[in-house]
Amino acid sequence: MFLKTFTKSLVVLAMLTGISASAAVVEGTDYVKLEKPIANAEGTVIKVFSYDCPFCYKYDKAVTKPVMKKVPEMKFVPYHLATKGVFGKYGSEILAVMIAKDQAAGIDLLDDNSNFKKVKFALYKAYHDKKEKWGNDASKPENVEAFYKTALEPVGMTKADVDAAVKDQKVQDILNKWGMDQNSDSYMVAKIQGVPAFVVDGKYLIYTKSIKGIDQMANTIKELHNLK
């Protein structure tokens, strides 16, 4: 369902990370204004992603952190897609718990010590590098247990820990913001051009195919943030 339009952009990004953008962003070419803005998102860069998206993995390895370092005035806010991937719902619950845990400890989500980052990359590496599919059937409890074990091993937690933590109101707030179905903000954004999807101020979706480098992406974020 989700369009895979990012391969060429990733190659260019790897080759031209030092290129800066000189021209102003153009609607329809560099970005699209969302028909339904994401509420309470001023000053943020929202990244909609899924553990089973190879391009999300590649962007997180080489693009997301360096770009955000160049826009310190913006806050990075990840949205995990519960609707993508066999274990998407469980991935969202686990990652929401990790975000709440990091926030309580004052740990940046892009920091190497972030529980969110450790869990996210544990899933990325297992799924994309090791080709682990955990039975590819979320209706079987043993497969769900295996998924949780992979995700939680780097942070020393268990499924029981997550099941308890997910009831916390802060975790529920994150999950409610992400949404768990096809009416969610994350799904509506992702269906426009696939994932990863980067949204500035909750209003402007960057067309990743137009990005030619780290500097250009950072400049695009700045220009969109300054739009009136």
Side-chain angles (χ1 to χ4, degrees), residues 29-213:
T29 299
D30 301 303
Y31 74 96
V32 61
K33 189 171 183 178
L34 298 180
E35 292 184 8
K36 180 188 175 185
I38 298 172
N40 304 313
E42 182 68 26
T44 69
V45 176
I46 291 172
K47 180 190 177 184
V48 181
F49 76 103
S50 166
Y51 76 84
D52 84 340
C53 161
F55 304 108
C56 298
Y57 182 22
K58 291 176 181 178
Y59 264 81
D60 273 339
K61 284 195 293 185
V63 179
T64 307
K65 186 172 182 177
V67 165
M68 293 309 301
K69 280 187 174 182
K70 291 179 178 291
V71 287
E73 68 274 21
M74 305 295 287
K75 179 182 178 182
F76 173 68
V77 181
Y79 274 45
H80 184 260
L81 271 174
T83 54
K84 183 168 169 58
V86 172
F87 300 91
K89 170 183 177 293
Y90 300 110
S92 286
E93 291 182 350
I94 294 168
L95 290 167
V97 168
M98 296 306 130
I99 289 174
K101 187 176 177 67
D102 284 341
Q103 289 174 342
I107 302 173
D108 189 284
L109 298 182
L110 295 172
D111 190 277
D112 289 341
N113 292 319
S114 161
N115 294 282
F116 167 75
K117 184 173 182 178
K118 289 176 183 177
V119 166
K120 178 178 63 174
F121 273 94
L123 291 173
Y124 276 151
K125 290 175 182 178
Y127 191 85
H128 300 289
D129 297 342
K130 299 178 182 179
K131 308 304 179 185
E132 175 61 70
K133 298 298 185 287
W134 305 285
N136 210 35
D137 183 353
S139 69
K140 297 183 178 180
E142 62 269 27
N143 294 342
V144 176
E145 288 282 352
F147 180 82
Y148 271 79
K149 182 178 180 181
T150 296
L152 298 174
E153 188 172 12
V155 294
M157 293 177 67
T158 66
K159 184 177 183 299
D161 294 330
V162 171
D163 289 344
V166 80
K167 299 174 184 177
D168 184 87
Q169 188 58 52
K170 291 183 179 178
V171 177
Q172 286 298 310
D173 289 344
I174 294 169
L175 291 171
N176 289 336
K177 183 170 61 177
W178 290 356
M180 303 295 280
D181 57 32
Q182 294 186 1
N183 294 314
S184 67
D185 286 336
S186 54
Y187 181 86
M188 298 305 290
V189 167
K191 77 174 188 176
I192 295 173
Q193 65 160 10
V195 287
F198 294 88
V199 179
V200 179
D201 290 335
K203 296 183 288 188
Y204 309 111
L205 172 65
I206 296 174
Y207 280 139
T208 47
K209 64 184 179 182
S210 71
I211 297 298
K212 301 298 188 293

